[in-house]
Amino acid sequence: MHTIREKQRLLARVRRIRGQVEAIERALESEAGCETIMHQIAGVRGAIAGLTAEVIDDHIQTHLVDLEKHPGALNTAAAEELMAVIRTYLK
Amino acid sequence: MHTIREKQRLLARVRRIRGQVEAIERALESEAGCETIMHQIAGVRGAIAGLTAEVIDDHIQTHLVDLEKHPGALNTAAAEELMAVIRTYLK
Amino acid sequence: MHTIREKQRLLARVRRIRGQVEAIERALESEAGCETIMHQIAGVRGAIAGLTAEVIDDHIQTHLVDLEKHPGALNTAAAEELMAVIRTYLK
Amino acid sequence: MHTIREKQRLLARVRRIRGQVEAIERALESEAGCETIMHQIAGVRGAIAGLTAEVIDDHIQTHLVDLEKHPGALNTAAAEELMAVIRTYLK
């Protein structure tokens, strides 16, 4: 969000996820095996986790500190550590 | 999978998920707030977890034991316990 | 960490988790049923998630912004939203 | 559970987890940094996930089918697929 580049990046991710969900729909309709479908679902879950991480990162970078009023106030090393921990839980 | 009723139920779930993903796309395009989008994403994640639980349950009921060859061999109480534990981890 | 009160609170959580782990040890030694042990393990997982949430919250409150240099720079509403999202994923 | 070898293996895992929890306790007492503690906690979470996978695997192998009454009834390929999917969600 917030910037056009960021918004385009998130939209691209969401459209890929939509494509993955449509593939599950087709697999179910064509009676694909359980295993195939379970893998496809796990793929969507992973993609959702990646999207979540990106939105959270964005939120931390742009909302936790109003950078116009408080330039330089966000400790970027601490923000990166935080994202590293969050990513561990998003897998 | 496997039975027409089950297949219809899974398809209905997947179509709902597709609708939720499309809603995120629209929210991003209309510059909705970060918070809104984070909630929508969490909703998709929950729906994917529900779908996964259903596919796994189906897999346990129909594939772990070939019920034509071994009728009555699946311990249904143990299968239910297993699903209860798996659901804990799918939230 | 950081403050004595916070440190005491985290220590109390970790000690409770140690107690839960010791209970699993005793359950295994006394040949408790699978189901009992699976529930105990799920309990530890939940407690670890609670501890993680508290440490992350602490990290956000005390490290993302150096509050001595930049008082008032942390947007507390945005920090709370962030924690709400993170808690969703820590269950 | 169930077999002495399996029980010993699970006990060894649980004791390692206890050791990891005790290390978090010591780290908190000695005022270790947030980052160190977050990594230690993520380690315990991973170890709990590994323990859970092993107990679930055990449960599937020994409880879903009474192998004395129904030898050969458990489809081992389907059981392995199931475990592969469950492990995806236990990370």
Side-chain angles (χ1 to χ4, degrees):
Chain A
M1 275 131 324
H2 316 303
T3 68
I4 287 170
R5 218 184 64 192
E6 184 57 27
K7 182 181 151 179
Q8 291 310 324
R9 227 164 56 189
L10 291 173
L11 267 175
R13 271 186 191 270
V14 175
R15 283 175 189 142
R16 267 201 304 278
I17 291 169
R18 175 157 53 80
Q20 289 174 288
V21 173
E22 287 165 354
I24 298 175
E25 223 174 306
R26 286 193 302 275
L28 278 168
E29 276 163 351
S30 65
E31 315 273 344
C34 225
E35 195 181 2
T36 305
I37 288 164
M38 291 193 293
H39 280 287
Q40 286 177 313
I41 296 173
V44 173
R45 184 182 151 100
I48 289 283
L51 174 65
T52 307
E54 195 160 333
V55 173
I56 289 178
D57 193 24
D58 211 41
H59 181 76
I60 293 172
Q61 299 298 330
T62 57
H63 290 307
L64 283 196
V65 171
D66 182 334
L67 293 173
E68 297 201 357
K69 277 199 215 156
H70 305 279
L74 183 70
N75 179 336
T76 53
E80 273 165 34
E81 266 173 45
L82 177 61
M83 275 313 301
V85 171
I86 292 172
R87 279 179 207 279
T88 309
Y89 289 92
L90 280 175
K91 266 174 214 156
Chain B
M1 274 133 323
H2 314 307
T3 67
I4 287 170
R5 217 183 66 189
E6 184 56 27
K7 183 181 151 179
Q8 291 310 323
R9 226 162 59 188
L10 291 173
L11 267 174
R13 270 187 190 270
V14 175
R15 283 174 190 144
R16 267 201 304 279
I17 291 170
R18 177 159 50 81
Q20 288 174 288
V21 173
E22 287 165 355
I24 298 176
E25 224 174 307
R26 286 193 301 275
L28 277 168
E29 277 164 350
S30 65
E31 316 273 344
C34 226
E35 196 182 0
T36 304
I37 288 163
M38 290 194 293
H39 280 286
Q40 288 178 311
I41 296 172
V44 173
R45 183 182 153 102
I48 289 283
L51 174 65
T52 307
E54 194 159 335
V55 173
I56 289 178
D57 193 24
D58 211 41
H59 182 76
I60 293 172
Q61 300 299 330
T62 57
H63 290 308
L64 282 197
V65 170
D66 182 334
L67 293 174
E68 297 201 357
K69 278 199 214 154
H70 306 278
L74 184 69
N75 179 336
T76 53
E80 272 165 35
E81 267 173 44
L82 175 62
M83 275 312 300
V85 171
I86 292 172
R87 280 179 206 278
T88 308
Y89 289 91
L90 279 175
K91 267 173 214 157
Chain C
M1 277 136 319
H2 314 307
T3 65
I4 287 169
R5 218 184 64 191
E6 185 56 28
K7 182 180 151 179
Q8 290 310 324
R9 225 161 59 186
L10 291 172
L11 267 174
R13 271 188 190 269
V14 175
R15 283 174 189 143
R16 268 200 304 278
I17 291 170
R18 175 158 52 82
Q20 289 174 286
V21 173
E22 287 165 355
I24 298 175
E25 222 175 307
R26 286 192 303 273
L28 278 168
E29 276 164 351
S30 65
E31 316 273 344
C34 226
E35 196 182 1
T36 304
I37 288 164
M38 290 194 293
H39 280 286
Q40 286 177 313
I41 295 173
V44 173
R45 182 182 153 101
I48 288 283
L51 174 66
T52 307
E54 193 158 335
V55 173
I56 288 179
D57 193 25
D58 210 41
H59 181 75
I60 292 172
Q61 300 298 332
T62 57
H63 290 307
L64 283 197
V65 170
D66 182 333
L67 292 174
E68 297 202 357
K69 278 198 214 156
H70 306 279
L74 184 69
N75 179 335
T76 53
E80 273 163 34
E81 267 173 44
L82 176 62
M83 276 312 302
V85 171
I86 292 172
R87 280 180 205 278
T88 308
Y89 290 92
L90 279 176
K91 265 171 212 159
Chain D
M1 273 133 326
H2 316 305
T3 67
I4 286 169
R5 216 184 66 191
E6 184 56 28
K7 181 180 153 178
Q8 291 309 322
R9 227 164 56 189
L10 291 173
L11 267 174
R13 270 187 191 270
V14 175
R15 283 175 189 142
R16 267 201 304 278
I17 292 170
R18 176 157 52 80
Q20 288 173 288
V21 173
E22 287 165 354
I24 298 176
E25 221 174 308
R26 286 193 301 275
L28 277 169
E29 276 163 352
S30 66
E31 316 274 344
C34 226
E35 196 181 1
T36 305
I37 288 164
M38 290 193 293
H39 280 286
Q40 287 177 313
I41 296 173
V44 172
R45 183 181 152 102
I48 289 283
L51 174 65
T52 306
E54 194 159 335
V55 173
I56 288 179
D57 193 24
D58 210 42
H59 181 75
I60 292 172
Q61 300 298 332
T62 57
H63 290 307
L64 283 197
V65 170
D66 182 334
L67 292 172
E68 298 202 356
K69 279 200 214 154
H70 307 278
L74 184 69
N75 179 336
T76 54
E80 271 165 35
E81 267 173 45
L82 176 62
M83 274 314 299
V85 171
I86 291 172
R87 279 179 206 279
T88 310
Y89 290 91
L90 279 175
K91 265 173 211 155

